[in-house]
Amino acid sequence: MSSLPYIVGNWKMNGTRAMLAEARAIDRATARLPGVQVALAPPFTLVHAMREAVESIGVGGQDCHVEASGAFTGDISAPMLADAGADFTIVGHSERRAMHGESDAVVRAKAEAALAAGLSVILCVGETEAERDSGQAEAVVGAQLDGSLPLGAEAAQRLSVAYEPVWAIGTGRVPSVDDVSAMHRSIRAKLTAIYGEAGAEVRILYGGSVKAENAAELLAADDVGGALVGGASLSAESFVAIIGAAAIAR
Ligand code: 13P
């Protein structure tokens, strides 16, 4: 894995082909900032076209099915993503855990399917507001990691973990730098307990209301290896400002 800061845009259910202009602009800016690794996860419909349109950034999916093929209407498999030119996929995003009822076991199976297809994986974890308020945040995230991380030390080589507190997603609210640092230290301890030495190499991204204005501060917290950005990744102007903050923070 690389120690460069990793800045990933999750476009969620946003973007038609007209949005490829934003991806091209992000790609051109990234080519001028070699100290940062950048990727975008557009909707499935744009993965192939985006891969063809960019050179300096990674392109990935937002989810994949646990099986490689079969009678699963509406689903997309990891080998299909790889065939479309994806380098990676996100799995276990809180929106999928909550709205599609994805359990830790399903998220683990998806991560393992993605790795088997040759993709890298960004696995998301994070607590709800009620869980944080009741002092359970680290326990909840620890249990998610225990249940959903792909098994086997070799998995760690193509894995990033994204800590995304559910209450910070799309709300404009972010945890304190101290809380981010504490959570990332706790995730690191879990990763090294599970993967041994290889767990020290897994990048831990922060996600949830990352903007140009707060990116430098969040990226400077302990063991923050990058950011998973939603809304602010939809325009080149705001996303490139975050990439720029990562280049300076380095
Ligand atoms: P926002 O940056 O819009 O809060 O979204 C974060 C997120 O869910 C990225 O996966």
Side-chain angles (χ1 to χ4, degrees):
M1 83 119 217
S2 153
S3 60
L4 297 180
Y6 189 26
I7 308 297
V8 183
N10 172 11
W11 279 11
K12 308 192 180 185
M13 197 173 74
N14 297 289
T16 53
R17 284 179 297 164
M19 283 274 291
L20 293 174
E22 301 300 319
R24 283 194 197 91
I26 291 163
D27 186 54
R28 285 194 298 273
T30 299
R32 294 193 296 271
L33 290 167
V36 186
Q37 186 180 345
V38 176
L40 287 172
F44 292 136
T45 48
L46 289 181
V47 167
H48 184 66
M50 188 180 286
R51 180 68 281 163
E52 301 277 297
V54 299
E55 288 177 1
S56 299
I57 66 173
V59 177
Q62 300 171 12
D63 179 44
C64 66
H65 197 271
V66 301
E67 299 291 344
S69 63
F72 303 104
T73 302
D75 282 312
I76 299 286
S77 74
M80 289 171 177
L81 273 173
D83 182 58
D87 315 300
F88 73 97
T89 188
I90 297 168
V91 297
H93 193 282
S94 62
E95 287 153 14
R96 295 214 57 92
R97 289 178 186 262
M99 298 175 203
H100 295 264
E102 292 188 8
S103 65
D104 286 334
V106 165
V107 174
R108 167 175 286 155
K110 289 184 171 197
E112 291 179 346
L115 292 169
L119 300 173
S120 298
V121 167
I122 299 174
L123 188 146
C124 303
V125 293
E127 82 285 358
T128 63
E129 183 155 36
E131 288 162 348
R132 174 151 294 270
D133 288 348
S134 61
Q136 299 299 303
E138 289 184 23
V140 165
V141 167
Q144 288 174 340
L145 292 169
D146 279 332
S148 57
L149 283 173
L151 299 176
E154 67 287 351
Q157 287 161 15
R158 278 186 282 130
L159 177 69
S160 301
V161 169
Y163 168 54
E164 299 205 305
V166 176
W167 52 272
I169 294 176
T171 60
R173 296 166 56 208
V174 291
S176 69
V177 169
D178 282 352
D179 284 347
V180 173
S181 294
M183 183 61 84
H184 280 231
R185 285 195 301 268
S186 155
I187 292 171
R188 178 67 64 201
K190 184 65 85 178
L191 288 167
T192 48
I194 291 174
Y195 294 122
E197 273 179 30
E201 304 297 317
V202 175
R203 270 182 299 202
I204 309 173
L205 315 181
Y206 169 79
S209 294
V210 176
K211 312 281 177 218
E213 303 76 52
N214 61 20
E217 189 181 33
L218 290 163
L219 288 165
D222 285 359
D223 216 343
V224 174
L228 184 54
V229 183
S233 71
L234 292 171
S235 88
E237 188 183 5
S238 52
F239 196 50
V240 169
I242 293 170
I243 298 166
I248 293 165
R250 203 173 151 244

